[in-house]
Amino acid sequence: MKNYKLIFAILTVAIVWGTTFMGIRVAVETIPGWLVAGIRQFLAGLIMLSILIFRKELKWIGWKNFGFQIIFSVLMLVMANGLTTVAEEELSSSLAALISACSPILVFIGSLFLGLQKFSLKSLLGVVICFSGILLIFWDGLQDLAILENRNGIIMMFFAILGWAGGTLFTKKMNIKSENISLNLVYQFLFAGIFQVCLALLVTDNYNFENWTSKSIASMLYLAVFGSVITFFAFHYALTKISPIQVSILSYINTIIAIFLGWLLLDESITLQFILAAILIICGVFIINYKPEMFRKFNNKRLTE
C-alpha cells in the first residue's frame, strides 16, 4: 500500500494518454483540428496558471528560459500535438497512435548523429523490426498514399513525430534542468494555445460553430483537463519515484489502449496484419530502449520500502 500513489500515477498516465487519440478523433468530427488543439492547450494553460496564482508561485522565468520554453512549445505542442490532431481529421485514431509509436526511432537515429548515443547491434535490430512493422502497415495500402486526404494525414503524422523527436533531442542536447516544471509548462501551454487558435482563424475556411456537437466539445474539454493537466502531474510524480526509462515503457501501453479503444468504441477496422505490425513496432521500440536497470531499479526500490 505504500506504493498506491505511484501505482495510481502510472495507471493514470498509461490509460489517459492512451485515450487521447480516441478523444482527438471524436473532437475533430465537428470541430476543426487546429481549434481543438489550440483550445485544449489554452484551457490547460489557464488551469495551470490559476493553480500557480493560488499557490503564489507565478513569476517571470527570464528571457533565456522563456526562449527555451517557446522552442519546446513549438516542437512538442504545436508540431507534435497540433499536427497529430489535424491528421486525425482524416486518419483513424488507431493508425495515428501506431505511427506516433515510431517516434523513438527518430530519437534513436538523431541521438546517433548528435553523439548522444552509441551505436549497438541491439539498437540496429530494434530499428529493423520497427521498420518491418511500418512496411507491413502500408504494404497492401501504398495506393492509398495517392489519395490526397490520406497522404496529407500521413505526412502530418510524420512531421508530428519529427517534432516530438526534435523536442526530446533538444532537451538532451542542451541538458536543460528545470527547477519549476509547472511554471515552464504554463508558458508552453499558453503560447501553443494562442498560436494554434490564431493559426486556426487563418487557415480554416469554415469554423462550423453551429454544428459543433456536445460530444466533440466534451472530448475537447477532456483532452484539456485530463489529457494535458492531470496526466502531466501524474507523469512528473512518477518521474520522482522511478527512472525516465521506466516511465517510457508506458508509451507502449498507450499505443495498445489507443488501438483497442479505436476498435471497440469507434468501429475502426483492425486487421490481423495491423495487429502484427503493432507488435513489431512496439517490440522494436522496446528493444531500442531496453536496459537491464529498467526493472531492476524498480524492484530494488520496492524491496527497500
Side-chain angles (χ1 to χ4, degrees):
M1 291 300 294
K2 291 182 179 179
N3 289 323
Y4 74 95
K5 290 184 179 180
L6 174 59
I7 294 173
F8 180 76
I10 290 174
L11 289 176
T12 299
V13 174
I15 295 173
V16 176
W17 273 353
T19 65
T20 54
F21 288 95
M22 182 187 70
I24 290 172
R25 189 70 186 90
V26 174
V28 298
E29 286 179 354
T30 60
I31 306 175
W34 282 118
L35 273 180
V36 171
I39 295 173
R40 169 188 177 177
Q41 307 301 354
F42 186 71
L43 287 178
L46 289 181
I47 293 171
M48 297 195 70
L49 179 66
S50 302
I51 293 173
L52 289 177
I53 292 175
F54 177 77
R55 293 180 175 178
K56 298 182 180 179
E57 295 178 358
L58 182 63
K59 61 181 179 180
W60 172 240
I61 58 176
W63 286 109
K64 182 178 180 179
N65 191 23
F66 178 74
F68 287 145
Q69 303 317 312
I70 297 302
I71 294 174
F72 294 150
S73 183
V74 170
L75 292 172
M76 306 293 277
L77 299 179
V78 176
M79 285 186 65
N81 179 263
L83 289 175
T84 297
T85 303
V86 178
E88 284 200 49
E89 290 180 337
E90 306 298 339
L91 302 179
S92 68
S93 64
S94 301
L95 181 56
L98 194 54
I99 295 175
S100 180
C102 299
S103 53
I105 303 177
L106 296 182
V107 174
F108 166 72
I109 296 174
S111 295
L112 289 179
F113 280 106
L114 295 175
L116 298 173
Q117 184 168 332
K118 295 181 179 179
F119 173 83
S120 68
L121 292 177
K122 175 180 71 70
S123 298
L124 178 61
L125 175 63
V127 171
V128 171
I129 293 176
C130 283
F131 277 118
S132 299
I134 295 171
L135 288 175
L136 188 59
I137 295 174
F138 298 111
W139 189 259
D140 293 331
L142 292 177
Q143 66 274 13
D144 292 341
L145 296 179
I147 303 175
L148 180 61
E149 291 81 2
N150 291 345
R151 185 171 69 240
N152 286 343
I154 293 171
I155 291 173
M156 286 182 185
M157 282 305 305
F158 172 76
F159 280 103
I161 63 175
L162 191 65
W164 187 91
T168 302
L169 291 171
F170 181 78
T171 303
K172 289 183 177 181
K173 186 66 176 178
M174 299 303 293
N175 193 27
I176 301 170
K177 296 181 180 179
S178 174
E179 296 180 357
N180 193 331
I181 299 174
S182 298
L183 183 62
N184 290 339
L185 202 70
V186 167
Y187 288 93
Q188 292 180 35
F189 275 149
L190 290 178
F191 172 82
I194 294 172
F195 180 86
Q196 289 170 320
V197 168
C198 292
L199 184 62
L201 297 177
L202 289 175
V203 303
T204 305
D205 296 327
N206 183 12
Y207 305 124
N208 203 29
F209 292 121
E210 67 279 3
N211 293 325
W212 288 18
T213 64
S214 57
K215 185 170 68 172
S216 291
I217 294 173
S219 295
M220 185 169 57
L221 295 176
Y222 172 83
L223 292 169
V225 177
F226 291 90
S228 293
V229 177
I230 293 179
T231 314
F232 162 77
F233 281 107
F235 177 75
H236 284 282
Y237 176 80
L239 280 178
T240 65
K241 301 298 181 180
I242 56 179
S243 72
I245 296 175
Q246 292 168 325
V247 175
S248 69
I249 299 174
L250 298 176
S251 62
Y252 316 135
I253 303 174
N254 298 157
T255 304
I256 295 171
I257 291 175
I259 293 174
F260 175 73
L261 290 178
W263 167 77
L264 181 66
L265 301 178
L266 300 181
D267 294 324
E268 295 178 352
S269 176
I270 304 297
T271 63
L272 177 60
Q273 181 172 312
F274 190 91
I275 294 174
L276 291 175
I279 293 173
L280 285 173
I281 290 174
I282 292 172
C283 288
V285 172
F286 182 81
I287 290 173
I288 292 172
N289 290 281
Y290 174 76
K291 293 183 180 179
E293 60 268 23
M294 271 184 175
F295 305 104
R296 186 189 308 135
K297 288 182 179 179
F298 182 65
N299 290 333
N300 292 339
K301 199 175 286 258
R302 291 182 63 182
L303 289 173
T304 57
E305 289 181 346

